[in-house]
Each structure stands twice: as C-alpha cells, then as structure tokens.
Amino acid sequence: MAVPPTQSLPSVMRAWQYLSTHGGLEKNLVLNQSAALPPHDDNALGKDKVLVQVLAASLNPVDYKLVELPLVGRLAVKTPACPGLDFAGRVVKSAAGTATSEFPVGQLVFGRLAQPTSFGTLEDYTVVQTGQMAKIPEGVSVQDAACVGTAGLTAYECIVPNVKGGDKIFINGGSGGTGVWGIQIAKALGCHVATTCSGKNVQFCKDLGADEVIDYQSQNVVEAVKKGVSESGRKFDLVVDNVGTLPALYWNCHHFTNVRGKYVQVGIEGSLHTIVDLVMRFLWPGFLGGGKRKLQMLTVKGSRKDLEGIGEWMSQKKIRAVTDQVVRMEDAPKAFERLKTHRARGKVVVTVSSKSKTKQAGSSRFVAVHLDKAPYDTQPPGSYFHGSHKKHPSALSESHAIPPGGLRLADGGNPLRPRVHGEVGSDMHDGFLDCRKVGSVGRQVCHESCMLKKDFNQRTQGIRTPMHGAESYEQRRKQMLEREVGDYGRWSS
C-alpha cells in the first residue's frame, strides 16, 4: 500500500462534544468546528501512541450508556468530551525517535480506544495506543474496518478462547453489533450455532451462518432452547448473552449446557433489578440453589493480535462487516438515535473524514468506480461513478480514487458482455472489471461491481423486446442501465 507524504497538521479540527448528558447524549452533542487537537507532541505520544486521522467510526451502546450514568459518567470522562471508541483511519504522526516501521505515517489502521476519553473517535484526529490497533488488511475497506472495534473484539474474546471446532454455541442476541460478529466467528471456527432474534431478522441470522434461530417475539426462549437440546440430544458448550434482559436464561442454563459449559455475560441493562440479579449470580453458591455453571462477565480487552485475527478472516472472506446505517459526520446525533432504538441490524457507522464521499447506506444502487475508460467511450478517462448498493451490506459506499490505468473495463469496455480477469474469491465473480494488478481497493471494487452486475442481470433477465429506438436486446439492456444511472447520478469528471 502506497504511503502518502507526511501532511501538515491543522491547528484545529471538527469534534462532536458534550458538556452534559441530561436527557440523552444525542441531545447534548454540539459540533465544534474549531476544537483543539488532542495533545500530540513527543511527550504526549511517547513510544506507544500515534496520532490518527479518523476516516470512519462506528458506535456502540457503551458510547452512551457509561456517560449517561448519573454519577459514574461525570467521574469517568472529563468534559467537554467527544464520544466514540471504534475507528478506522490513517496514521499522521508518531513521536520523534520512535520506531515507525510498524505503523509509518500514511498507514491505514483500525481498532478501538482503550477507554472512553475526552478525545473520542467522532472527531478528525485522535491519539491511539499502538497495542489497540492493527493495519487494515488488503481487500478490507475503511468503512468495514471501522465496524470491528468493540463489537468485533467482544465477540472474538467471548468465543475464540472458549471453544474448538465442532462445539455447540448459543448466542442470545444474534442480529446486533456483537451478535453479527459472534455468529460468523463461531462458524469460522467450525462450531454449531444457535441464536435468538426478532422474527424479521430470522433469515438475516441464517444468512450469517446460524444453524438454529429462535424468534424471541413468538417463543419462550428458555423453553425453546430446552426443547431443541432435548430433540437433538446435544447440549451447548458455551452460552454468550449479548442482551442481559432475561435472567432466567442463566438460572436455567444447566438444563441445556454441558457440565463444563460456560456462560459469558456481555450485554446488561442498567436497571436496579438487573444489577441485583447479576450480583446474586456471583455470590449465591450453586450447592445452595444458585447458578450451576461457570459465569464470566466479559470486559473487552482488545489487542493487536485479536484485531489481526479478525482482519485476516475478513480479508479471506470468512467473515464480513454488516452495516445497518451510514451517516455523515454532520449527522452523528442521528447515529445515536438509531443505536438507541435497539433495532440496528449490524453496525451504525459515521464517516468522519471531510474528504470521504460515503453516502447514506441504501441511498443508491452503484458502487464508486474510477476508470481510465468509461463505458462505450462516452466519457473521458478518469471519470467517476458514485453510489452504493443497497442490497449488499458489504458493498462499498465511498469513492475510491484509483489512479488512471489501475482499474479498467475489460476487452473493449462493454460492461454488458464482459470478460473478467483476476481472482476475487467469490462465486459472484461475473462482473465487468479487469481486476489484474489493481491492489486491494481495486479487487474490492471489482468484487462489488460483480454483485451489481449479477443483480442487474437478474432484474433484466426476462427482457427480450427492444425499447423505443433500440434495435437489439443488448441495446435495451444498455438503455436500462443508463436510465438507472440517470436516476442516481450520471458519470461526471
């Protein structure tokens, strides 16, 4: 990956900040256009920190739950403060005299901040410990990398140390940020996965790889799990509770887990009743009627090794980021509003960089492609095509400036009757781009364009009669493509 030259740092930056969380964090956020950068001199950075330009950030419930606690929130973070832990960005400075070969200036990185701080990730620049980040692997977009952070690491640390291939895992809450990663990580390890979600997300969880899905809206979860185990004759080796609103799940887990099984609690509501119940789980001995399975309350640690493990699986297409919604930096409070509905399917992402052209997820149909020759020779070299694909969560949703010659139409430039070159690692690889020697971004663009091509083929498959002025089936398909392009933004230099 080419490393751009060192950039001069601005004296101020944009940052979403709050002084109070009364009435909700999202109602108190103010976009400060002239906020001071976090301390980033040599003393502040030391030997283990770097200054990162944040390109994208994803949000988690902890970003608002902690600071909204009446007393703890005020003590935990000094205000004015910027929320956010998860990020993907570019290294822009390290301390003078420190080894920079591992994370040189210009290196794209992703990860999470170790703890809530006054300088979070909803700002243009933040300081990150090198042990809390990793390089973005080839084939992984900045936006997808930003989705890992807290949720990805939580799922990884819940599952990877506690199971082996062939084990059986129950994940309570499979369609949220952590559950989405958990299902995929468990399947990548070769485990059998059962999970819960609402009725509308059942197919979504199955598509992620879940072998069994329980609709908590129409079934009693505890009884459904017991029944499933009774019918299969095989108990679970691990329970991961991402929700924390169903105490009966823990108190009854000995009925559907093995003797050596473990119950890992991740999510928990902040009600007094829930907190009291949690304390009882740890203090009430099993021989006196308490819980009969080992209980772990997970606090995500985060490490470069774990991030690299997740990144490697993403680059190998074994797991993928799932984005529920993408919002602009200017609309960050709306991201918190979406998160608080508890209906987000996957991650809510904020595009932070002012240079980013990321659009709202689902706003258009096509990915961004930079070509040195536009279709049918109708546009000059270097033209751009903007957009994202609403049917595929992994589709790119930001414009990637690929140098002219780096990505081109194959064999004459007819996107409707293509020849495709290069390995993409997808059974959808029937798209129209020549992806030889184009690097990670080019391969990703090619991969996503292949999906678009397949989708377009399916929607036009039955068309055989020409449109007005079209002399052939191919011309009609071309006209339909141009019509869709016209609806969502035409080619522009």
Side-chain angles (χ1 to χ4, degrees), residues 119 121 133 140 179 220 263 353 435 453 474 485:
F119 297 96
T121 56
M133 67 183 195
V140 179
N220 180 297
Y263 191 104
S353 172
C435 54
K453 167 66 167 50
E474 289 297 330
V485 171

Side-chain angles (χ1 to χ4, degrees), residues 202-403:
V202 168
Q203 188 58 48
F204 170 72
C205 288
K206 289 182 178 179
D207 291 342
L208 289 173
D211 301 286
E212 305 172 42
V213 183
I214 297 171
D215 175 7
Y216 69 80
Q217 293 177 321
S218 62
Q219 302 176 71
N220 180 297
V221 172
V222 175
E223 294 305 318
V225 176
K226 288 181 180 179
K227 181 180 178 181
V229 167
S230 175
E231 292 176 350
S232 67
R234 185 183 175 194
K235 293 186 175 182
F236 290 97
D237 301 285
L238 176 68
V239 176
V240 177
D241 188 358
N242 295 319
V243 183
T245 58
L246 186 63
L249 190 65
Y250 171 72
W251 296 113
N252 288 275
C253 70
H254 57 282
H255 293 297
F256 50 83
T257 56
N258 293 316
V259 175
R260 295 184 179 180
K262 180 187 287 189
Y263 191 104
V264 180
Q265 186 71 58
V266 178
I268 186 171
E269 291 298 317
S271 67
L272 179 61
H273 178 269
T274 303
I275 294 174
V276 170
D277 180 84
L278 184 63
V279 172
M280 289 178 62
R281 297 185 197 182
F282 284 101
L283 298 181
W284 193 358
F287 66 88
L288 293 178
K292 295 177 174 58
R293 293 294 180 265
K294 184 177 179 179
L295 174 65
Q296 177 186 357
M297 186 70 189
L298 186 94
T299 302
V300 63
K301 299 180 181 66
S303 71
R304 187 189 308 172
K305 182 180 178 182
D306 293 348
L307 287 167
E308 289 172 343
I310 296 171
E312 183 178 1
W313 276 340
M314 292 176 73
S315 66
Q316 295 171 351
K317 309 300 181 185
K318 292 183 179 180
I319 62 177
R320 62 182 174 87
V322 177
T323 303
D324 175 82
Q325 191 176 74
V326 180
V327 303
R328 301 177 305 163
M329 176 67 160
E330 293 78 7
D331 298 324
K334 294 181 180 179
F336 280 104
E337 291 174 2
R338 174 61 179 170
L339 194 63
K340 285 188 172 185
T341 65
H342 302 291
R343 296 175 182 173
R345 198 165 68 169
K347 297 294 295 182
V348 179
V349 179
V350 178
T351 56
V352 177
S353 172
S354 59
K355 296 180 180 180
S356 174
K357 295 183 179 180
T358 304
K359 292 188 176 182
Q360 181 81 8
S363 62
S364 55
R365 289 182 179 274
F366 296 90
V367 295
V369 184
H370 186 185
L371 305 171
D372 64 349
K373 185 176 182 181
Y376 304 100
D377 299 318
T378 57
Q379 297 294 330
S383 296
Y384 282 90
F385 188 43
H386 303 288
S388 61
H389 194 267
K390 65 183 180 181
K391 287 191 176 182
H392 300 282
S394 62
L396 299 178
S397 58
E398 62 180 276
S399 296
H400 293 277
I402 303 170

Side-chain angles (χ1 to χ4, degrees), residues 18-22 66-79:
Y18 63 91
L19 290 171
S20 168
T21 59
H22 181 71
L66 177 63
V67 297
E68 287 183 358
L69 291 175
L71 180 59
V72 177
R74 294 182 181 181
L75 297 175
V77 182
K78 182 181 178 180
T79 57

